[in-house]
Amino acid sequence: MASVSTSHLILFIASLIIAASVAGTFTQGVQRLSSALGDRSIDLSGDIRTDISIISDPASGAVYNSAGEENITVLVKNTGSRPLEAESDQLEVIVDGKYQTSIAVTVLDGSAWRVGNVVRLEIDQSLSGGDHRVKIIVNGDEEVLQFRT
């Protein structure tokens, strides 16, 4: 009879050790998942609060300067609910399907690109006559301007 009690005691202790290790593994996994979800929700919150609008009039002829400098000028308004970085490395600009790196960014009405403020983007790009597209991406928010030269 003592051998049965001893074997039951050994199996009981072994099952407790296994249960504790499984619980520790699950706890670590849940903590990592929770942390990842928290980080993702912060990123998503920033994306949701970001909104821009292109306010340039494509029919005005002021978008493309064909005399002299040959550049594209686009006015973009911050219509979201948070300030944005008015730096060329924070904006993605695509002209006719080509990524642009030579962009000058100027805040027109203030010192920073706050909610309601407008920035002027000057893109060094020579264009031929015809239809063109400028796509601007800021924190996942995309706006497209179509114009004719």
Side-chain angles (χ1 to χ4, degrees):
M1 289 294 210
S3 65
V4 172
S5 296
T6 304
S7 65
H8 282 201
L9 182 61
I10 291 172
L11 288 174
F12 178 71
I13 292 172
S15 65
L16 284 178
I17 291 172
I18 291 172
S21 65
V22 168
T25 302
F26 281 151
T27 302
Q28 288 177 353
V30 168
Q31 285 176 346
R32 278 188 261 148
L33 180 62
S34 174
S35 176
L37 287 174
D39 292 345
R40 179 66 183 133
S41 69
I42 290 171
D43 293 342
L44 190 58
S45 171
D47 291 349
I48 290 172
R49 293 175 44 209
T50 300
D51 193 23
I52 60 169
S53 295
I54 295 176
I55 60 172
S56 294
D57 182 9
S60 70
V63 174
Y64 182 64
N65 178 11
S66 59
E69 297 176 7
E70 292 192 343
N71 64 0
I72 303 167
T73 302
V74 180
L75 299 176
V76 183
K77 185 174 186 175
N78 181 356
T79 56
S81 61
R82 72 181 190 114
L84 299 172
E85 295 289 327
E87 302 291 331
S88 61
D89 61 346
Q90 299 296 316
L91 303 163
E92 295 179 64
V93 178
I94 301 168
V95 177
D96 294 335
K98 296 177 186 167
Y99 186 79
Q100 302 297 311
T101 56
S102 181
I103 304 163
V105 181
T106 307
V107 179
L108 296 181
D109 49 355
S111 59
W113 197 12
R114 294 189 176 93
V115 175
N117 288 7
V118 176
V119 295
R120 178 178 54 231
L121 304 179
E122 293 181 7
I123 308 156
D124 290 332
Q125 178 69 33
S126 177
L127 299 175
S128 60
D131 295 332
H132 301 283
R133 274 175 62 124
V134 175
K135 184 178 207 177
I136 300 170
I137 305 168
V138 178
N139 290 345
D141 185 43
E142 302 177 0
E143 289 293 320
V144 176
L145 172 68
Q146 296 180 351
F147 63 99
R148 179 179 291 253
T149 58

